[in-house]
Amino acid sequence: MAQEIDRQPKKQVKERPAGQCPLYKKCGGCQMQNLSYPEQLRWKQSLVQRLLGKFCHVEPIIGMENPRHYRNKVQAAFGLTRDQKIISGVYQSSTHRIVPVDSCMIEDRKADEIIVTVRSLLKSFKLQPYQEDRGIGFLRHVLVKRGFASGQIMVVLVTSTPIFPAKNRFVEALRKAHPEITTVLMNVNPYRTSLVLGDAEKVLFGPGYIEDTLCGCVFRISAKSFYQINPVQTERLYSKAIEFAGLTGKETVIDAYCGIGTISLIAAKHAGHVIGVELNGDAVRDAIVNAKRNRIENVYFHKADAGAFMEQMAHEGQTADVVFLDPPRAGSDEKFLSSLLVLSPRKVVYISCNPETQERDLQFLRKSGYRVVRIQPVDMFPHTNHVECVVKLCRNDAKE
Ligand code: SAH
């Protein structure tokens, strides 16, 4: 069982420290703003030490030089106040109340500016924001994604209906205010749901996707695909993961929970071949496109449950030299971990955004013939209480 831990830093500060966000308490998104950045890093380091320190030495957390405006993906909910003023911002933690935000200290500045422009355009185009309680109105959310390396910008207007009066003029006005926008989409979400995006999508301008470069590979990012939100720290995280794998160019590598194939493609440059496995069909499609886009041919993607896929591989008597796994917060499952033992890779590189479930899984692997040899925390989400760790395990009879 994962141990219960206190996720809220204790320090109480009566006055707002210089530089703290004025929305800190209202928004609730950045739980650690009552601490300075060096204090946050110390808190995260000690959390990882407490949970994973028993396995091996924990290396000093990799923090950001500039821990602000790091989010490359920004989502704003639109609504109306009681006095009919249009607002846009974030939902207050665990509620559906919108906290108005014009500029957020962890979001990309340009994205925030674009959202403010959309809000002012709504008024001039006489378009109404969606009213969740009444199920009426037009614009529900605006999603902006920016490729930090490429400079490309995607704007997704999430509407409640496919009927968008004067859409060409609207897009024209938006592009006039922000010529750096490279694509605009409309996503229709007519459902009474808390999910942001609906199924139907229409490209209003540009190619309908953006591209960005990470660790020397170019990735196509569509409105719905998962892409790490802090590219500066992601490069550091993945570089560590590749370093831990110690690839020589000959290995058979599995990248489990591979998303759009980021780790797979980066690893493929250093390995014999890579097999990526991922449950989400859209992500697998993006991964295949990304492999082609980068002319990487020694990588194969499969749409499957990672545990079931590993079980099948083990059943067929296949082997692997290195397994990367980067599961969702809930961690891996027993099916996956037991099949991992049958495949018996020499090395396992386990990336996790939840040290509690990671501790549980590492415990299991340690009892089953693996030793933990490196633990590297990375601060992927400054000002929040999330910590990411990359851990290297070696089979007990294998050299590091
Ligand atoms: N490694 C990728 C994605 C990590 S996020 C990256 O860094 O970009 C975790 C991924 O696991 C998501 O893409 C999610 O769709 C996928 N996933 C969740 N459950 C899964 C399962 N049971 N089998 C395979 N993939 C799964």
Side-chain angles (χ1 to χ4, degrees):
M1 253 327 258
Q3 167 186 350
E4 278 284 312
I5 54 155
D6 189 354
R7 277 237 171 235
Q8 196 56 43
K10 282 283 176 289
K11 186 172 167 187
Q12 292 298 322
V13 179
K14 288 206 176 72
E15 284 189 19
R16 184 151 60 85
Q20 192 186 77
C21 173
L23 299 173
Y24 161 51
K25 288 215 168 109
K26 262 189 157 173
C27 159
C30 296
Q31 308 85 354
M32 301 199 80
Q33 283 225 356
N34 56 337
L35 301 184
S36 69
Y37 190 54
E39 284 172 319
Q40 293 178 21
L41 291 178
R42 277 198 291 279
W43 184 84
K44 292 185 185 191
Q45 183 78 28
S46 66
L47 172 76
V48 176
Q49 181 65 40
R50 196 150 28 106
L51 286 167
L52 308 183
K54 58 180 164 282
F55 296 114
C56 89
H57 167 71
V58 178
E59 294 180 38
I61 186 166
I62 302 175
M64 293 190 82
E65 287 78 42
N66 179 6
R68 293 181 166 227
H69 304 291
Y70 59 81
R71 279 194 72 106
N72 57 6
K73 171 182 151 185
V74 177
Q75 219 157 257
F78 278 67
L80 268 187
T81 59
R82 276 206 195 114
D83 51 356
Q84 305 297 298
K85 214 175 119 218
I86 302 175
I87 51 167
S88 63
V90 294
Y91 289 124
Q92 193 170 28
S93 259
S94 339
T95 74
H96 264 221
R97 213 168 308 134
I98 297 172
V99 179
V101 177
D102 279 1
S103 111
C104 159
M105 65 175 272
I106 65 167
E107 292 174 353
D108 178 55
R109 283 195 183 88
K110 184 56 72 184
D112 282 345
E113 286 170 20
I114 291 171
I115 288 162
V116 170
T117 302
V118 171
R119 204 175 64 214
S120 66
L121 286 176
L122 279 188
K123 211 169 160 195
S124 40
F125 278 78
K126 298 199 169 45
L127 291 166
Q128 285 294 315
Y130 185 69
Q131 289 168 261
E132 210 178 22
D133 47 346
R134 299 172 65 196
I136 57 164
F138 174 69
L139 190 72
R140 297 178 70 136
H141 297 271
V142 173
L143 165 66
V144 181
K145 294 187 179 187
R146 188 162 86 87
F148 279 15
S150 68
Q152 297 177 11
I153 299 180
M154 166 194 289
V155 179
V156 185
L157 305 166
V158 185
T159 64
S160 60
T161 141
I163 300 152
F164 186 171
K167 63 174 176 295
N168 293 341
R169 276 200 302 116
F170 190 96
V171 172
E172 218 171 273
L174 183 60
R175 287 181 51 219
K176 190 158 177 238
H178 301 282
E180 57 281 16
I181 293 173
T182 51
T183 191
V184 181
L185 294 99
M186 173 180 176
N187 174 285
V188 185
N189 186 355
Y191 310 110
R192 286 212 162 197
T193 165
S194 55
L195 291 178
V196 173
L197 296 175
D199 302 323
E201 209 172 86
K202 187 176 162 71
V203 179
L204 304 181
F205 167 72
Y209 59 86
I210 55 166
E211 288 185 333
D212 199 25
T213 304
L214 204 63
C215 297
C217 292
V218 179
F219 293 95
R220 175 186 284 204
I221 304 152
S222 47
K224 284 185 194 157
S225 60
F226 173 87
Y227 187 61
Q228 294 279 1
I229 56 106
N230 183 342
V232 172
Q233 293 300 85
T234 302
E235 283 214 327
R236 292 172 169 162
L237 178 75
Y238 289 169
S239 304
K240 266 290 158 201
I242 298 291
E243 179 198 320
F244 283 4
L247 300 170
T248 64
K250 296 199 186 88
E251 294 82 359
T252 297
V253 173
I254 296 174
D255 177 16
Y257 310 90
C258 71
I260 60 167
T262 24
I263 296 170
S264 312
L265 297 192
I266 298 162
K269 291 183 174 176
H270 308 274
H273 65 275
V274 180
I275 302 159
V277 53
E278 161 64 47
L279 198 55
N280 178 318
D282 286 341
V284 173
R285 244 198 336 267
D286 282 345
I288 293 168
V289 169
N290 287 332
K292 286 199 184 119
R293 172 75 177 75
N294 290 279
R295 298 201 178 85
I296 293 176
E297 288 173 358
N298 58 338
V299 57
Y300 310 89
F301 291 105
H302 297 269
K303 178 188 175 308
D305 166 73
F309 183 82
M310 296 282 283
E311 208 168 43
Q312 178 74 18
M313 271 189 86
H315 184 71
E316 288 168 4
Q318 300 192 50
T319 55
D321 300 301
V322 177
V323 171
F324 288 93
L325 70 150
D326 184 6
R329 284 193 69 75
S332 195
D333 56 23
E334 222 172 299
K335 192 159 51 172
F336 182 95
L337 293 173
S338 331
S339 318
L340 181 78
L341 298 178
V342 181
L343 290 179
S344 188
R346 272 180 292 118
K347 286 177 199 162
V348 176
V349 179
Y350 186 162
I351 301 171
S352 165
C353 57
N354 185 348
E356 291 151 66
T357 51
Q358 192 170 30
E359 183 214 8
R360 178 199 66 200
D361 295 345
L362 291 180
Q363 200 80 269
F364 176 86
L365 290 171
R366 188 166 67 166
K367 275 195 225 131
S368 321
Y370 281 84
R371 64 189 191 280
V372 176
V373 291
R374 301 277 297 270
I375 300 176
Q376 176 66 66
V378 180
D379 191 21
M380 297 287 283
F381 312 105
H383 311 293
T384 74
N385 59 9
H386 298 284
V387 201
E388 192 101 3
C389 281
V390 50
V391 171
K392 173 179 178 178
L393 297 109
C394 286
R395 207 173 60 206
N396 279 340
D397 62 350
K399 279 201 289 223
E400 276 183 35

